[in-house]
Amino acid sequence: MDRDLSEDDSVVDLSFEAESPLAPPAELLERLPSYDWLFQGGGQQIMFPPLEAPGRPLEQRCWSSFLEHRVPLVTEEVAREALLSFVSSKCCYGSTAAGDLIIQELKQQTLCRYRLETFSESRISEWTFQPFTNQSVDGPQRGTSPRLWDIKVQVPPMFQEDTRKFQVPHSSLVKECHKCHGRGRYKCSGCHGAGMVRCPSCSGAKRKAKQSRRCQMCSGSGRRRCSTCSGRGSKTCATCKGEKRLLHFIQLVIMWKNSLFEFVSEHRLNCPRELLAKAKGESLFKDENTAVYPIVDFPLREISLASQRGIAEHRAALSPRARVLQQRQTIELIPVTEVHYWYRGQTYVYYIYGTDHRVHVVDYPDRYCFGCTII
Ligand SMILES: [Zn+2]
Ligand SMILES: [Zn+2]
Ligand SMILES: [Zn+2]
């Protein structure tokens, strides 16, 4: 049976807009007396942490242990073993060359790696909302909202990054949903509220082209039930989940972040820098506190300068908006060996780096596939 749109009286006339912006209009939100400053700068504000207390005085450090520290030298035997274990871990490297090569020269150097890690906390506040389900409302009538840096929260373990959100006390208020204007539903955009759509099989012609039989899909009606709204013509409002009202409140977003500054001392070898940054080192010095002070008297001047630079860089980058909770600076020794070897009339080079003797091969004579495309 043919059905006309006008016959379908089950559809409620929903004249309001199906779409509306995600964020509530600013004028919708009443200004809470204690949070007026939030509206300066578009509703979201970065809070400035209170000033840090002056730190401890600089300590004199004794570096004599630095001179005593020695990383064991790599011998020819160790160099060959390291290469053999490297090639056996790769599918396309033959072990013959590693076994037969003649080591000509071992160039060794111990590098210093300086690292500064700064663990900081920053706080921002923003308006947000959720469907109101008759829960109790903690509004300004219950008291003044605390200032953002006065809200006490559980800090995650040091140097463990995290982001968490909290509801600011006494900042809540209930408003009619701005998307459905308090109706809980809005007009279906698939059928414009009709509940029915044109039959996709016969395009509304009621019968297929060049066929006299009426369309099977719509039983000749030319229309099908709208699949978006299951024929209801309206959909539950996604913003208020059909609750008609929203609970607006100020949300405190806390971010705990690690910042890293890294410096590897100058060297004459051609081992790639990114490998040296990851290399396993021998710990020489470790200093951890709520704030660390620049190393000034390390025997290697470039390390002292790196420490000063790193601390200044982190301070400049973080101090206006974040509070430093903990800092850690370390100095490690990174051994690097450049191995020159001879194999079947040619010379080649590879590197052994880190205390765990990792290998970086520049060119290897006994390699039988490229890029491991065939396994
Ligand atoms: Zn629909
Ligand atoms: Zn049809
Ligand atoms: Zn709604």
Side-chain angles (χ1 to χ4, degrees), residues 177 179-180 184 237 239-240 244:
C177 173
K179 185 154 186 195
C180 63
C237 172
T239 304
C240 65
K244 301 174 183 172

Side-chain angles (χ1 to χ4, degrees), residues 2 68 249:
D2 280 2
E68 291 158 18
F249 56 92

